[in-house]
Amino acid sequence: MFTKILIANRGEIARRINRTAQAMGIQTVAVYSTADAKALHVQECNEAVCLGEPEAAQSYLNIDKVIAAARQTGAQAIHPGYGFLSENAAFAQACADANITFIGPGVEAIRIMGSKSEAKACVQPAGVPLIPGYFGADQSLNTLQAEAERIGFPLMIKAVAGGGGKGIRIVNSAAELQAALESCQREAKNAFGDATVMLEKQIIQPRHVEVQVFADTHGNVVHLFERDCSAQRRHQKVIEEAPAFGLTEAQREAFGRTAVQVAKAVNYVGAGTVEFLLDARGEFYFMEMNTRLQVEHPVTEMITGFDLVQWQIEIAAGLPLPATQETIHIDGHAFEARLYAENPEQGFLPAIGTVELWEAPDAIEFRTGTHAGRTAGIRLDSAMRSGLAVSPYYDPMVGKLITWAPTREAALNKLANALAQLRCVGVKNNLAWLRSLCLNPEFAAGGYDTGLIDRMSTPTDAPTPIDSDTLHALAGLARWALHQHQSNKSTQDPLATLDGFYSSSPPLREDRWFNRDTALATHTHVSVRGQQALVQCAGSILQLALSPQEQRSALPRLKGLVETGPHAGSAFDLIWHGDNLSIHVGAEQTNLQWQNPAHIRADQGHDAHGVAAPMPGKVFAVFVKVGDTVKKGQPLIGLEAMKMEHTLNSPCDGVVQSIPHPVGDQVTEGTELIHFSENDDSK
């Protein structure tokens, strides 16, 4: 067995690997970029080596630097995690050349399965069912157009080296093909260094079902059953579950058997995931094989009781598989929700910034080994903590929340409740949106397909789950808490000075807020005596009990219990971040932006007359020109950020006045990209 391994990754997966390795008595080496110098994986490993600048190409993707770090520290093996170099055949070969064990499959298996087209050609002789498509080397426009007509529309363009939802476009007609090809090839080149694409017939309303396989160097191959990953947006998974809902035993056996056939076709060794599409008739088709550990591997650990990272390390050390197919069983049901710094209200655009408050439910645990995380049935895999930044250089996932229970319904309820308790304040995130997905009737019923999220109402379509009177009253109370915080910063506890915020004589105070795109005005009178608060708002009075802070908070914050009204008996939690207020009542959450009089600028309304970059990036396309009349929702400009292309749309009707940044310009967050005047129909 190895005595020291290097973990060639960052974030939660680096911490995950470190936990298992140290539990096995193995010393660990972390690598990091200068952007990750304060990261938790750097602190927790036994040693750490800085690879270089924040850009992945200068650090985590630099093969020579990673190999040098392993040699420098005497690491006998390298675990690549997922992403970065995990499916890079050249990296696996460099490890072999340096006499360092690569904890993963062989070079040839990575190379074959790394190309979606070559993978299909490899498994076809084994009788593995394939989706009709074009997987050839000729990438000329004429050939691709001809093949698209042969396959028929709708179809999907896929980067052959793609993954993580990047390099995929859906094309509904021949008229859309050329533009979609150019966009897909450009994104694939930026993300993977390879613009080669393939075409596939689009399966209508498919489910995405994948099978976890393991193989050792002694010829043994097993599967650990399947996961359903159909809950996706932009072709990226957001919630996964195991086992897949509603499969018959015959279907489950066929999935497992076929996945094992795929692994054997390439003489596979280690952990792999074979991905399929399941159509409405019950037929399934091979998509690809990921030659690494998956982001969603914890749900398989939860239903089987095995530590998959430990299996990887043992297999790489030459040991046989620790279980046979006959001894691997499904126990209960598990879900995983991916926690992202992103804005669901703006097409899930990634968000960056400092997480001022990161707080997890008390019941969460993380353990390795048999039945890891099963005591409470809740597990959090994350490398986030209060004060850490979400960087523009890497994937915006900040953690994974995993739940287990004997039944699917109980596991899903546990996930929804845990999401309501988790706090991530300081950057926009998808926690509330994930909970709404858990509560979606179609999702809760199971058997949903990959189009579910597109069919869901957008957050702006749904009313706030907190009734208006309670929301306005809590907003007024939050203003009192902010006042107390600002006037008593020595203790940072709003309850330290329990004077009434306003006396009974002055008129009700008016505050202005924004809730999504809606302007709100609250007229409140707050009276606080002891730990009781009375808030008069819009003719109603809400009574609340205030709770002392358990510990000092860097942010103005107030907790308590709603004693009257529709939410009577529910706990509330009010958290300020700048001029933004996060309101939690029971399991519900909403966010308001206070229109701070001190921060209102003379040029207020500028955002309504232009489009600004929501994150740092590079302009890759401009879809309009000066003088064009645009409609609300019309695409204006394309921004490449975090290795993906994002289209920015017009917030209202108008006429383009200026385009300050042409194609190729690098821009920072907040930079105005398009300026236009609103139409005036009265003229």
Side-chain angles (χ1 to χ4, degrees):
M1 182 51 66
F2 311 115
T3 58
K4 182 184 288 188
I5 66 172
L6 181 142
I7 303 169
N9 219 295
R10 65 182 296 276
E12 59 87 16
I13 187 57
R15 297 186 75 203
R16 164 75 189 89
I17 296 165
N18 177 61
R19 283 190 173 98
T20 287
Q22 293 197 359
M24 295 173 68
I26 300 171
Q27 296 280 299
T28 56
V29 180
V31 292
Y32 64 97
S33 73
T34 52
D36 282 339
K38 297 181 180 179
L40 291 178
H41 77 281
V42 175
Q43 299 174 18
E44 293 171 348
C45 288
N46 301 104
E47 300 176 61
V49 177
C50 181
L51 296 178
E53 296 302 310
E55 292 81 2
Q58 303 301 318
S59 51
Y60 297 106
L61 288 175
N62 191 306
I63 293 176
D64 291 340
K65 289 182 178 179
V66 174
I67 295 295
R71 283 175 164 160
Q72 170 189 332
T73 56
Q76 301 144 313
I78 295 178
H79 196 308
Y82 51 71
F84 291 135
L85 297 171
S86 62
E87 295 179 283
N88 188 309
F91 179 58
Q93 185 62 58
C95 290
D97 294 342
N99 199 28
I100 297 170
T101 300
F102 178 75
I103 302 178
V107 174
E108 188 64 6
I110 296 175
R111 187 191 65 78
I112 293 173
M113 290 302 174
S115 167
K116 289 180 172 66
S117 55
E118 193 167 349
K120 293 176 187 294
C122 177
V123 303
Q124 191 169 26
V128 176
L130 303 178
I131 302 171
Y134 172 71
F135 320 115
D138 187 346
Q139 296 286 293
S140 66
L141 178 60
N142 288 340
T143 296
L144 292 173
Q145 287 175 328
E147 289 296 330
E149 293 290 347
R150 177 185 64 81
I151 296 166
F153 298 94
L155 58 76
M156 298 187 76
I157 308 171
K158 292 184 176 181
V160 299
K166 302 179 183 71
I168 297 177
R169 298 292 186 276
I170 295 175
V171 182
N172 293 300
S173 68
E176 301 174 11
L177 183 65
Q178 184 172 350
L181 272 170
E182 292 172 354
S183 176
C184 185
Q185 290 169 330
R186 183 170 54 243
E187 186 172 276
K189 181 67 175 178
N190 290 338
F192 314 113
D194 184 352
T196 308
V197 299
M198 66 182 195
L199 308 178
E200 274 187 348
K201 180 70 176 176
Q202 186 181 9
I203 305 299
I204 305 301
Q205 293 186 320
R207 292 173 65 183
H208 183 134
V209 179
E210 63 186 30
V211 179
Q212 178 73 66
V213 294
F214 263 89
D216 62 22
T217 56
H218 304 274
N220 304 305
V221 185
V222 299
H223 69 82
L224 288 87
F225 302 104
E226 79 288 343
R227 303 182 283 253
D228 193 317
C229 307
S230 301
Q232 304 177 6
R233 87 283 187 272
R234 294 201 316 253
H235 310 293
Q236 291 181 307
K237 305 165 187 175
V238 289
I239 293 184
E240 302 96 349
E241 61 179 295
F245 174 83
L247 294 189
T248 66
E249 286 307 310
Q251 285 177 309
R252 179 162 288 123
E253 189 278 333
F255 270 116
R257 172 170 36 83
T258 305
V260 168
Q261 288 175 336
V262 170
K264 289 181 176 179
V266 286
N267 299 314
Y268 201 78
V269 172
T273 302
V274 185
E275 302 197 347
F276 301 95
L277 285 182
L278 174 66
D279 69 18
R281 301 171 301 167
E283 301 291 331
F284 64 87
Y285 306 91
F286 170 77
M287 283 200 302
E288 62 180 325
M289 184 179 192
N290 290 316
T291 56
R292 53 169 167 79
L293 198 66
Q294 292 279 90
V295 177
E296 58 272 20
H297 76 274
V299 293
T300 298
E301 293 185 321
M302 297 290 260
I303 67 165
T304 62
F306 296 115
D307 183 332
L308 301 192
V309 174
Q310 182 174 341
W311 277 33
Q312 286 186 292
I313 295 172
E314 290 176 347
I315 290 169
L319 299 178
L321 284 169
T324 63
Q325 194 65 66
E326 294 71 30
T327 60
I328 302 172
H329 305 288
I330 295 174
D331 179 15
H333 205 97
F335 284 91
E336 174 184 286
R338 301 190 188 193
L339 316 178
Y340 282 99
E342 63 183 9
N343 189 348
E345 297 172 26
Q346 293 186 358
F348 300 98
L349 283 173
I352 61 172
T354 299
V355 175
E356 302 289 351
L357 175 67
W358 177 260
E359 191 173 87
D362 294 337
I364 282 179
E365 64 173 342
F366 185 105
R367 294 188 300 112
T368 56
T370 304
H371 298 289
R374 289 271 292 274
T375 303
I378 308 175
R379 165 177 159 183
L380 179 65
D381 289 15
S382 175
M384 183 50 66
R385 61 174 171 79
S386 299
L388 286 183
V390 178
S391 167
Y393 300 104
Y394 315 116
D395 187 275
M397 188 173 73
V398 296
K400 305 179 309 194
L401 188 62
I402 306 105
T403 60
W404 175 92
T407 67
R408 183 180 188 272
E409 181 181 10
L412 185 56
N413 287 338
K414 192 172 288 186
L415 179 62
N417 291 334
L419 284 166
Q421 297 175 61
L422 194 61
R423 300 287 184 264
C424 180
V425 178
V427 295
K428 292 186 180 296
N429 60 76
N430 67 341
L431 293 184
W433 180 87
L434 285 170
R435 185 171 181 275
S436 72
L437 177 56
C438 292
L439 301 178
N440 178 274
E442 187 177 352
F443 183 81
Y448 52 92
D449 60 68
T450 56
L452 168 64
I453 291 175
D454 290 337
R455 296 191 296 271
M456 287 175 58
S457 296
T458 62
T460 52
D461 291 337
T464 176
I466 305 171
D467 78 282
S468 177
D469 286 347
T470 302
L471 183 67
H472 287 187
L474 289 175
L477 181 65
R479 281 283 293 113
W480 170 84
L482 180 64
H483 171 79
Q484 298 294 87
H485 178 86
Q486 292 172 336
S487 62
N488 191 36
K489 289 184 178 180
S490 60
T491 62
Q492 297 183 335
D493 183 354
L495 296 186
T497 307
L498 291 173
D499 296 327
F501 187 27
Y502 309 113
S503 68
S504 58
S505 54
L508 301 183
R509 180 187 178 93
E510 178 180 282
D511 283 300
R512 296 187 177 276
W513 309 81
F514 275 115
N515 179 17
R516 302 188 182 109
D517 293 329
T518 305
L520 304 174
T522 63
H523 299 75
T524 55
H525 175 194
V526 180
S527 174
V528 178
R529 294 294 180 267
Q531 290 185 207
Q532 293 293 314
L534 289 176
V535 184
Q536 181 181 345
C537 177
S540 64
I541 296 178
L542 195 70
Q543 184 171 322
L544 307 113
L546 308 182
S547 301
Q549 298 281 49
E550 299 104 358
Q551 57 186 7
R552 292 185 180 182
S553 171
L555 299 175
R557 185 177 188 182
L558 191 63
K559 292 183 178 183
L561 188 71
V562 180
E563 296 185 330
T564 59
H567 294 276
S570 297
F572 69 83
D573 189 5
L574 311 176
I575 310 169
W576 282 97
H577 173 248
D579 290 336
N580 297 288
L581 175 64
S582 178
I583 300 178
H584 303 261
V585 181
E588 306 298 346
Q589 174 188 349
T590 194
N591 296 290
L592 301 179
Q593 183 180 23
W594 177 44
Q595 298 305 287
N596 187 339
H599 295 170
I600 294 177
R601 301 178 302 173
D603 62 347
Q604 187 177 21
H606 168 80
D607 289 343
H609 293 80
V611 172
M615 70 200 81
K618 182 173 72 173
V619 177
F620 73 82
V622 178
F623 305 116
V624 293
K625 61 183 183 297
V626 173
D628 282 358
T629 299
V630 298
K631 296 292 184 182
K632 182 176 181 179
Q634 179 178 335
L636 296 178
I637 201 160
L639 189 68
E640 190 276 320
M642 295 185 178
K643 298 300 183 184
M644 293 192 71
E645 293 186 353
H646 308 279
T647 299
L648 306 182
N649 300 322
S650 177
C652 61
D653 296 351
V655 177
V656 177
Q657 287 189 335
S658 64
I659 305 173
H661 295 279
V663 171
D665 269 16
Q666 291 281 350
V667 297
T668 58
E669 181 181 6
T671 300
E672 187 177 60
L673 303 176
I674 299 280
H675 188 76
F676 54 90
S677 59
E678 292 183 273
N679 282 336
D680 187 347
D681 294 334
S682 65
K683 292 182 180 180

